[in-house]
C-alpha cells in the first residue's frame, strides 16, 4: 500500500514544513501525463522508506497558493525538504534510480534517529 | 534468475503490442518499462487518429487498454530502468530491479524531447522553459509565451496553449510549417497566434525566470530579442538508444538500424516504434512495428530451437 500523503494549501505547513522526517513533495496535476509516469515510483518508495522519509503529493490545480509560493512552472516537479527548508529538487519524469540517489543523499545529510525524527544539525 | 523467451524493453504502443503478440503466441514474455505503461501516449489528452475510437480516446486510457489486453495472455511487466544489454545466448538485460535473461529481445524504448541546446535552456528548465504544453500551459495564464518548432506537435501545442496564454508566438526556422494542413488552417485562423518565420533561438534569457529569447534570423543573421515569460520547445524527439549502442548499429540520428522485418544488426534483437530508423512516430505505426517485431522474434525462436 502506498504511503504517499496528499497535501494541500491548508496542511502544507503542518505536514511538510514542520515534519520531523525529510520529505519529498511531488507537484502534479491530473492532466499531466509524465506525472502519472512517476507516481508509481513514489508509491513504491513510500513503502520502502516508511518511517525514515516522507513522500507527499500536491495537486497544483487545487492548491495554487503553494504552487505559486514555490514558483512551480513545470510539472512533474519534485521538491525535497528537511527541517522546514527546501533542500533540493528534481524536474520532470526521471528514472527511479535518480530519485533513490537523491533520497539516500538527503538521508545522509539529515539523518533520522531510531524514533524517526531528524537530528537537528 | 528467471529466464524468458522474449524481453520487451519499453511499454509504449510498440512494446505493448509486441507483448500481446508474443504472449498470445505462448512465449514467456517480460515487458520492462521505466515509467508508466503507455509511453508517450500518456501525454496525449485526446488521440483522434487511432482507428476504432470514433470519438477519440485519451492516450492514458488507450495505454491501459493495450496493457490489459496483453496481460490477459500472460504478459509480465516490471517497472525498472534498463541499464544494459549484454550480447550472448541468452541475452542478459540488466535493470535497476535486477537482471533478466531471454533468447530474443524487442527494443521499443521510444524517444525523448529534443533540446534546443542553447545557453540558458538548461538553467531555466522548469522556470519558463518547458517541453510539455499539456503539463505546463496552466502556469502561463494571461502570459505571453513562445513555441519553438513547425511540426504537428509544435502547432498542436501552440493551439492548446492559446487556452491559457494571452499571446502565443510560434518561432520556426523555416518560412513555412511542416504541420498538417488541417492544423495549419486552425493555426493561421487563430487570433492569439503570431508567427515568427526563419528565426532560431540563440539564447534563453532571464535570471531566475525566463523573460525573453534572443533570436537570430537564419537568412540575414540579424539578432533580435523577444519578450516572453515562457518557451515551449517542440522541435522533435531524440531516440533512447544510448544504452544499446555497444551492441547495435545505430544511424547518425541515433535511431536503431533495422531491416524490413525489424531485425537489428545483432541476431535475435529486434527494434520497434520511435526508436528505429524511418519511424513515422504514430501510435498506429508503432502498433504495426510491435506486430512485425513480435512475429520476427517468434520466427527467430523457432529457428534457434530447430538448430539446437
Amino acid at each position: 500500500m502506498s504511503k504517499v500523503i496528499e497535501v494541500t494549501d491548508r496542511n502544507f505547513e503542518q505536514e511538510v514544513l514542520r515534519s520531523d522526517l525529510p520529505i519529498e513533495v511531488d507537484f502534479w496535476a491530473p492532466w499531466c501525463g509524465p506525472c502519472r509516469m512517476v507516481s508509481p515510483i513514489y508509491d513504491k518508495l513510500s513503502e520502502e522508506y516508511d518511517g525514515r522519509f516522507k513522500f507527499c503529493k500536491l495537486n497544483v490545480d487545487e492548491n495554487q497558493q503553494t504552487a505559486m509560493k514555490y514558483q512551480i512552472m513545470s510539472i512533474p516537479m519534485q521538491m525535497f525538504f528537511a527541517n522546514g527548508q527546501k533542500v533540493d529538487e528534481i524536474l520532470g519524469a526521471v528514472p527511479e534510480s535518480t530519485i533513490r540517489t537523491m533520497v539516500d543523499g538527503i538521508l545522509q545529510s539529515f539523518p533520522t534517529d531510531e524514533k524517526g525524527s531528524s537530528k537537528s544539525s | 534468475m528467471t529466464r524468458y523467451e522474449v524481453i520487451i524493453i519499453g511499454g509504449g504502443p510498440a512494446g505493448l503490442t509486441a507483448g500481446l503478440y508474443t504472449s498470445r503466441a505462448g512465449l514467456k514474455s517480460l515487458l520492462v518499462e521505466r515509467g508508466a505503461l503507455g509511453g508517450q501516449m500518456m501525454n496525449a489528452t485526446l488521440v483522434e487518429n487511432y482507428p476504432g475510437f470514433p470519438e477519440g480516446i485519451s492516450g492514458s486510457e488507450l495505454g491501459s487498454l493495450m496493457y490489459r489486453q496483453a496481460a490477459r495472455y500472460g504478459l509480465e511487466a516490471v517497472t525498472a530502468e534498463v541499464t544494459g544489454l549484454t550480447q550472448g545466448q541468452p541475452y542478459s538485460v540488466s535493470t535497476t530491479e535486477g537482471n533478466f535473461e531471454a533468447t530474443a529481445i524487442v527494443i521499443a524504448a521510444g524517444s525523448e524531447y529534443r533540446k534546443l541546446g542553447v545557453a540558458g535552456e538548461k538553467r531555466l528548465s522548469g522556470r519558463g522553459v518547458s517541453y510539455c504544453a499539456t503539463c505546463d500551459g496552466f502556469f502561463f495564464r494571461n502570459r505571453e509565451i513562445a513555441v519553438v518548432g513547425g511540426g504537428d506537435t509544435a502547432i498542436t501545442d501552440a493551439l492548446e496553449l492559446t487556452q491559457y496564454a494571452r499571446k502565443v508566438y510560434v518561432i520556426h526556422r523555416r518560412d513555412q510549417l511542416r504541420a498538417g494542413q488541417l492544423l495549419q488552417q486552425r493555426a493561421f485562423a487563430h487570433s492569439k497566434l503570431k508567427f515568427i518565420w526563419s528565426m532560431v533561438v540563440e539564447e534563453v534569457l532571464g535570471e531566475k525566470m525566463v523573460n525573453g529569447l534572443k533570436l537570430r534570423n537564419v537568412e540575414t543573421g540579424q539578432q533580435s530579442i523577444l519578450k516572453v515569460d515562457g518557451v515551449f520547445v517542440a522541435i522533435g524527439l531524440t531516440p533512447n538508444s544510448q544504452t544499446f549502442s555497444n551492441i547495435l548499429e545505430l544511424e547518425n540520428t541515433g535511431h536503431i538500424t533495422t531491416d524490413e522485418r525489424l531485425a537489428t544488426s545483432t541476431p535475435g534483437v529486434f527494434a520497434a516504434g520511435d526508436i528505429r530508423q524511418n519511424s513515422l512516430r504514430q501510435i498506429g505505426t508503432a502498433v504495426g512495428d510491435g506486430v512485425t517485431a513480435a512475429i520476427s522474434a517468434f520466427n527467430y525462436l523457432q529457428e534457434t530451437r530447430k538448430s539446437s
Side-chain angles (χ1 to χ4, degrees):
Chain A
M1 272 289 287
S2 167
K3 309 251 180 193
V4 174
I5 299 163
E6 283 266 2
V7 294
T8 63
D9 281 345
R10 231 189 291 158
N11 67 6
F12 193 85
E13 168 97 31
Q14 184 61 37
E15 285 283 355
V16 179
L17 301 181
R18 292 201 203 142
S19 166
D20 285 337
L21 297 180
I23 281 214
E24 175 272 347
V25 182
D26 174 18
F27 293 85
W28 73 287
W31 62 76
C32 159
C35 297
R36 286 194 290 271
M37 299 180 68
V38 285
S39 69
I41 301 176
Y42 290 111
D43 289 339
K44 185 171 145 191
L45 294 182
S46 71
E47 291 166 35
E48 199 183 313
Y49 286 88
D50 187 28
R52 290 188 291 148
F53 205 100
K54 196 162 148 186
F55 291 85
C56 301
K57 63 200 291 186
L58 180 125
N59 181 328
V60 295
D61 192 16
E62 291 167 359
N63 301 286
Q64 298 189 17
Q65 230 176 297
T66 309
M68 263 167 68
K69 183 179 168 197
Y70 289 96
Q71 299 182 322
I72 306 293
M73 293 175 90
S74 196
I75 48 174
M77 167 66 92
Q78 295 98 54
M79 288 190 178
F80 295 81
F81 297 83
N83 300 328
Q85 299 284 324
K86 183 186 149 196
V87 292
D88 219 326
E89 65 179 43
I90 296 178
L91 173 67
V94 295
E96 184 183 324
S97 50
T98 310
I99 301 166
R100 211 175 261 284
T101 309
M102 175 74 82
V103 168
D104 290 338
I106 291 171
L107 274 176
Q108 285 215 322
S109 321
F110 301 92
T112 46
D113 63 25
E114 319 74 59
K115 281 179 253 144
S117 322
S118 296
K119 283 176 188 158
S120 44
S121 46
Chain B
M1 189 184 307
T2 322
R3 172 77 184 269
Y4 291 88
E5 282 168 294
V6 185
I7 289 178
I8 298 147
I9 300 169
L16 289 168
T17 306
L20 167 66
Y21 269 69
T22 58
S23 307
R24 205 160 169 276
L27 302 176
K28 189 171 169 56
S29 311
L30 174 73
L31 188 147
V32 187
E33 163 61 47
R34 65 176 171 179
L37 294 165
Q40 280 177 52
M41 285 198 296
M42 300 294 281
N43 296 336
T45 319
L46 190 66
V47 178
E48 292 179 305
N49 58 4
Y50 188 71
F53 301 92
E55 315 300 325
I57 182 169
S58 82
S60 60
E61 197 183 342
L62 186 55
S64 107
L65 287 171
M66 285 184 182
Y67 173 62
R68 269 172 53 199
Q69 191 173 355
R72 248 184 97 186
Y73 297 99
L75 177 68
E76 293 176 43
V78 60
T79 306
E81 169 95 357
V82 170
T83 50
L85 174 61
T86 313
Q87 193 160 10
Q89 210 38 268
Y91 283 95
S92 171
V93 178
S94 45
T95 81
T96 47
E97 295 293 307
N99 296 345
F100 302 97
E101 286 182 349
T103 314
I105 305 286
V106 174
I107 301 176
S111 42
E112 288 181 337
Y113 305 110
R114 182 177 294 151
K115 310 273 195 294
L116 289 169
V118 300
E121 180 184 23
K122 194 169 175 209
R123 184 172 52 84
L124 293 163
S125 272
R127 301 281 179 261
V129 177
S130 173
Y131 304 89
C132 178
T134 316
C135 308
D136 301 339
F138 169 80
F139 301 107
F140 295 89
R141 284 218 179 97
N142 292 319
R143 308 284 193 93
E144 296 200 359
I145 57 179
V147 172
V148 186
D152 284 347
T153 308
I155 301 309
T156 308
D157 283 358
L159 286 165
E160 190 167 336
L161 289 166
T162 58
Q163 292 173 41
Y164 305 101
R166 191 168 60 212
K167 194 174 209 177
V168 181
Y169 295 96
V170 176
I171 302 166
H172 189 40
R173 65 194 157 124
R174 303 185 198 284
D175 57 6
Q176 54 186 8
L177 299 178
R178 246 183 317 111
Q181 280 307 316
L182 183 63
L183 280 173
Q184 293 204 22
Q185 280 168 22
R186 284 185 201 164
F188 291 139
H190 205 293
S191 60
K192 281 187 181 176
L193 289 191
K194 189 171 186 301
F195 290 84
I196 298 180
W197 302 109
S198 308
M199 293 280 223
V200 289
V201 177
E202 289 233 300
E203 190 178 346
V204 183
L205 306 170
E207 191 146 340
K208 288 206 171 121
M209 304 265 196
V210 171
N211 61 21
L213 298 171
K214 190 197 274 181
L215 304 179
R216 181 173 54 85
N217 187 303
V218 290
E219 280 147 24
T220 64
Q222 199 171 14
Q223 291 186 328
S224 55
I225 296 216
L226 178 71
K227 287 262 173 221
V228 283
D229 298 316
V231 55
F232 287 79
V233 182
I235 52 169
L237 298 159
T238 175
N240 294 321
S241 57
Q242 275 319 301
T243 316
F244 316 107
S245 60
N246 57 329
I247 66 162
L248 298 182
E249 195 182 308
L250 303 182
E251 303 290 304
N252 289 336
T253 54
H255 293 88
I256 298 174
T257 309
T258 55
D259 67 12
E260 73 275 17
R261 301 246 161 101
L262 301 188
T264 67
S265 57
T266 302
V269 180
F270 305 87
D274 272 22
I275 198 163
R276 74 168 180 92
Q277 71 183 120
N278 299 331
S279 162
L280 292 175
R281 303 196 321 240
Q282 302 296 304
I283 298 172
T285 58
V287 163
D289 272 13
V291 177
T292 307
I295 293 174
S296 296
F298 180 81
N299 292 338
Y300 173 80
L301 285 160
Q302 298 283 74
E303 281 159 32
T304 45
R305 266 189 215 128
K306 259 184 244 155
S307 60
S308 61

